[in-house]
Amino acid sequence: MRKKNKITGMTKSFFSRLFAFEENIDITDDVIVLHRRNLVIKNIILLSNIVYSILLFLIAYTTKEPSDWLFSVLSFPLTFFINNVIKRLIFGDRHDKTKQEVAMYVLSLYMFLSSILIYARLYQNQTFETAAYILLYYAIVVVSLYQSRRLIMWVFQGMLAAITVIHFVWTYSINRTYEGMSLGEFLNAFIPTKEAVDIFLRTTLFIIFMVVVYAIVSIGSYMQEQRKQELIKRREVQTDFTNIVSDLFSVVLSSKKNFLDRQHVDLVYQMSEKLAGYFGLSHDQIDYIKTYSKIHLKYKEVEGLVGNHMAEDESKFEMLKEKTNLGTQIAKRLQLAQKAEDIARAHVEGVATLQFSQEMNEIQPQIESQVILLCDLYVTMRSGKSYKRPYPNQTTIQLFEKVFLPYFDYFLVERFLKFKNEFEKTFNEY
């Protein structure tokens, strides 16, 4: 099964590299899109030429006519010359719109000429006549892959004239059958015939086919233009979003130094893990707390986002998304650290009010955040700050019993106080 999946993957990758129209390109760049389409059409023509060559050699081998061998052999230098011209146009300057458009018309003309020449060679052979005639329609389908309404209209006019000549000159040899007649005599003699009905039917079917192809090309062209405009708008939004996020992170990260003390963060990390276990939280919640309590130490991973408009590059969109998510988590963690600092300072300076406690309780009230906040507040009170001296353990515990209780879940504080000696030991031994 694994080997089968590997083969399938390799096949899809090979097909995408040769025939996918949007393989590693920016669809908002019309010239690059046209260049890619030229490459795909060139690969399709190469595959068609291989099939044509095999078919011609099979016919030559079957009939054993020298003219058949000569036709097969002479087709190679002509094909080589045209392919060389096409390569120079396509690869000469992939950003030159004029060269890419010329290549488009040359490829289209070559597709038609090759199908007409194949029909001219095979129309007398009843076995291959129908297949050769279908190649004319095949050429139209290939050219329609350009999704160009102007090109398809040019194709319609050219091919309508071409198949009319083909019907009169090759399919039914009308020019020889009715040679020497005036126009009136020709029409009187020709219109009642089965050949006239067949030509009329073939021409009618061709016109209907071209109308359907034009409709498909028009829809495809419209959808492609809509996709391009949506992508342009999305990139504009991404750029604006990046600027906003960049400014926001710039403000948030400017105050990060106050909360990046390694000893402080490690103590909060160890105590949070212990308190979460004592409180009976699940393994997933404990893992989240362990990650979240130290996530702001990864600030350097998002500093590159500030002033860097990565959204302009589509290939970096996922990186932007990942860094934005990380930056959001860092900002929230810094907010939680600031909350601990605000609570501590407000009570030290005696400015804490009921309204203040209500506002603090609205910030990240989840139990995981409360676990980290409680440990952060404990470490903050035990440590020296610019606005206070270090508090002894007994004084800090009394604050949790009498002052800090409204900021936390009652049972969480209860578990913390029950194991207060463990937390004191962790702090003293660090």
Side-chain angles (χ1 to χ4, degrees), residues 199-381:
I199 290 176
F200 175 77
L201 181 60
R202 290 191 182 207
T203 305
T204 302
L205 289 175
F206 176 78
I207 293 173
I208 294 173
F209 176 77
M210 287 304 305
V211 169
V212 173
V213 169
Y214 183 80
I216 294 172
V217 169
S218 298
I219 294 172
S221 177
Y222 172 77
M223 295 299 294
Q224 178 71 11
E225 185 64 24
Q226 290 297 110
R227 286 183 61 209
K228 185 177 78 172
Q229 293 302 323
E230 286 180 6
L231 182 56
I232 291 173
K233 290 178 181 178
R234 193 183 85 171
R235 287 183 176 177
E236 290 175 353
V237 172
Q238 286 176 202
T239 302
D240 294 339
F241 172 74
T242 306
N243 290 333
I244 293 171
V245 172
S246 176
D247 293 340
L248 176 62
F249 285 171
S250 180
V251 173
V252 172
L253 296 178
S254 64
S255 59
K256 65 182 182 298
K257 292 181 181 179
N258 299 329
F259 308 110
L260 297 179
D261 179 81
R262 174 64 69 173
Q263 181 178 353
H264 185 106
V265 174
D266 286 344
L267 279 170
V268 172
Y269 171 83
Q270 294 178 26
M271 292 181 181
S272 297
E273 183 181 5
K274 285 185 177 181
L275 181 57
Y278 294 152
F279 191 61
L281 296 182
S282 66
H283 291 294
D284 290 340
Q285 288 175 303
I286 293 174
D287 289 340
Y288 172 79
I289 288 171
K290 290 165 64 177
T291 302
Y292 188 48
S293 64
K294 300 181 72 171
I295 199 167
H296 52 314
L297 296 180
K298 297 181 179 181
Y299 69 91
K300 288 186 178 180
E301 296 183 23
V302 298
E303 278 189 330
L305 182 64
V306 178
N308 183 11
H309 298 170
M310 291 192 300
E312 295 177 359
D313 188 345
E314 184 68 16
S315 63
K316 295 182 180 179
F317 175 70
E318 290 300 324
M319 185 187 301
L320 170 64
K321 182 178 178 181
E322 182 180 340
K323 287 198 172 187
T324 301
N325 290 335
L326 176 60
T328 302
Q329 292 297 311
I330 291 173
K332 288 177 65 178
R333 180 62 185 91
L334 292 174
Q335 180 193 44
L336 192 63
Q338 185 65 56
K339 179 180 178 180
E341 187 77 10
D342 290 344
I343 292 173
R345 188 159 191 160
H347 286 279
V348 168
E349 296 177 353
V351 295
T353 63
L354 178 60
Q355 182 181 357
F356 172 80
S357 63
Q358 291 174 346
E359 291 175 355
M360 290 294 103
N361 288 337
E362 291 177 358
I363 300 173
Q364 300 189 43
Q366 300 84 359
I367 191 63
E368 294 89 351
S369 297
Q370 287 193 43
V371 169
I372 297 173
L373 176 65
L374 192 152
C375 297
D376 201 342
L377 186 56
Y378 175 82
V379 175
T380 299
M381 297 308 298

Side-chain angles (χ1 to χ4, degrees), residues 88-105:
R88 288 179 179 273
L89 289 170
I90 294 176
F91 297 104
D93 187 353
R94 63 197 299 260
H95 298 286
D96 189 327
K97 185 177 181 180
T98 301
K99 286 186 177 180
Q100 296 304 322
E101 286 183 341
V102 171
M104 176 181 71
Y105 284 105

Side-chain angles (χ1 to χ4, degrees), residues 102-207:
V102 171
M104 176 181 71
Y105 284 105
V106 171
L107 283 165
S108 302
L109 183 61
Y110 176 70
M111 195 70 208
F112 290 129
L113 288 177
S114 61
S115 62
I116 291 172
L117 289 174
I118 292 296
Y119 181 77
R121 180 66 193 85
L122 301 178
Y123 77 96
Q124 293 178 329
N125 190 320
Q126 294 299 318
T127 305
F128 296 103
E129 192 275 336
T130 302
Y133 191 80
I134 292 174
L135 290 178
L136 300 174
Y137 288 81
Y138 165 71
I140 295 171
V141 172
V142 172
V143 174
S144 71
L145 296 175
Y146 277 111
Q147 299 291 304
S148 171
R149 284 174 287 187
R150 184 178 62 177
L151 178 62
I152 210 67
M153 285 302 298
W154 173 79
V155 166
F156 172 66
Q157 297 171 37
M159 284 301 291
L160 183 60
I163 66 167
T164 301
V165 173
I166 288 171
H167 291 157
F168 277 81
V169 176
W170 290 332
T171 308
Y172 296 109
S173 302
I174 293 172
N175 59 320
R176 291 196 298 269
T177 304
Y178 299 93
E179 186 177 0
M181 292 185 179
S182 65
L183 180 61
E185 292 173 340
F186 164 72
L187 292 176
N188 289 331
F190 174 68
I191 290 177
T193 63
K194 293 181 180 180
E195 289 83 357
V197 174
D198 186 63
I199 290 176
F200 175 77
L201 181 60
R202 290 191 182 207
T203 305
T204 302
L205 289 175
F206 176 78
I207 293 173

